[in-house]
Amino acid sequence: SFNLNDKLAGFEADPRRVLDSQASVLRFVSNQRLTPAALRARPQQAKALGFWPRARLHSHMFRLLFRPSVALQRRLDDRGLPEGPLIGLHFRAGDQMPQHWKDPPRHALEELDEFLDCAARVEASLGWSNTHLILFADTDLVLELPRVKELMASGKLTWPAQTDSLVHLDRSPATLTVRGLLRVWADWWTLAFDADALVLSHSGFGATALEMGPERPAFLGKGCVPA
């Protein structure tokens, strides 16, 4: 097992130190992208395996290796997503749930308006009709925002979360994470594979959903620039 968190430069400088291991299975722990450096270090082997060059390799590998558990699939089936195009929004405030985890501030709550404006622009640019929004956020305080209330009352916006299951996978205490774990994965899977377009925060939650899912329009909510 190789713990390479925040050690991308070291891995890129000498990837063979890891790749020449005689272990039958290599387990990487990393919060950075090691795949390109690994494939470049073994170009012939990567080509022989069909890994290089290949568009959306991580998405291909994820779907090859993983599928929802029975419990997760049941949760997804019960979600009852609306008909028509679906725009998924992920909004990360960061520091608005101190009773559930500690995190630096990311986005002020009022910035959610910019995310919703971006979603409206995406919908208009694609010429979609009967479009719905599904909002994933790390705080239920978004439900108090007037615009969110209005969109939910009209049926335009769905909020699938429950307050007691709002958890941060690597920051919440284990007792809380266990309670919300299934809901978090259902949210991530919906964002990754059920949303037809994305409006995202700078966050691994949204970034991995974008990368593992199919190719589709995706934007950062701040500035509404392509993700």
Side-chain angles (χ1 to χ4, degrees):
S1 179
F2 296 92
N3 190 329
L4 295 161
N5 277 330
D6 298 320
K7 297 177 182 176
L8 177 60
F11 179 76
E12 288 180 327
D14 186 17
R16 287 184 171 82
R17 179 180 63 85
V18 174
L19 300 177
D20 286 342
S21 169
Q22 298 304 302
S24 58
V25 176
L26 296 181
R27 177 176 179 267
F28 292 90
V29 179
S30 175
N31 57 1
Q32 296 171 310
R33 296 173 183 270
L34 303 180
T35 310
L39 296 178
R40 286 194 298 268
R42 290 284 190 273
Q44 297 303 318
Q45 186 177 1
K47 289 178 181 178
L49 292 170
F51 290 162
W52 188 270
R54 186 187 182 104
R56 303 190 66 78
L57 173 63
H58 290 137
S59 176
H60 168 73
M61 294 299 295
F62 184 88
R63 296 307 299 267
L64 181 68
L65 295 171
F66 300 102
R67 66 184 181 208
S69 66
V70 173
L72 177 56
Q73 189 62 60
R74 186 180 300 117
R75 177 67 66 96
L76 292 168
D77 291 342
D78 290 344
R79 182 147 278 184
L81 297 176
E83 297 291 332
L86 185 66
I87 299 178
L89 297 93
H90 178 239
F91 181 81
R92 185 172 180 182
D95 62 346
Q96 295 298 311
M97 295 290 284
Q99 71 276 29
H100 286 200
W101 64 78
K102 293 181 180 180
D103 198 23
R106 307 286 180 158
H107 292 288
L109 290 175
E110 56 268 22
E111 291 181 43
L112 181 55
D113 273 336
E114 192 172 347
F115 284 58
L116 294 169
D117 288 341
C118 183
R121 288 169 58 185
V122 171
E123 179 181 359
S125 68
L126 294 172
W128 286 348
S129 59
N130 192 33
T131 304
H132 290 84
L133 311 177
I134 186 166
L135 173 62
F136 304 102
D138 62 354
T139 173
D140 58 357
L141 294 178
V142 297
L143 301 178
E144 300 175 11
L145 298 174
R147 191 169 174 189
V148 171
K149 289 182 177 180
E150 179 184 345
L151 289 168
M152 290 184 68
S154 70
K156 177 77 170 180
L157 185 145
T158 298
W159 164 264
Q162 297 176 343
T163 299
D164 65 352
S165 65
L166 284 173
V167 300
H168 194 300
L169 288 178
D170 60 354
R171 295 180 185 269
S172 296
T175 51
L176 186 62
T177 300
V178 167
R179 192 165 69 225
L181 187 63
L182 191 60
R183 197 277 305 172
V184 171
W185 278 112
D187 289 353
W188 182 88
W189 196 276
T190 299
L191 199 64
F193 299 110
D194 295 321
D196 301 297
L198 301 174
V199 178
L200 304 171
S201 298
H202 281 284
S203 171
F205 188 87
T208 53
L210 169 60
E211 189 164 8
M212 297 305 135
E215 189 169 2
R216 60 249 151 109
F219 297 83
L220 295 176
K222 190 67 176 175
C224 204
V225 296

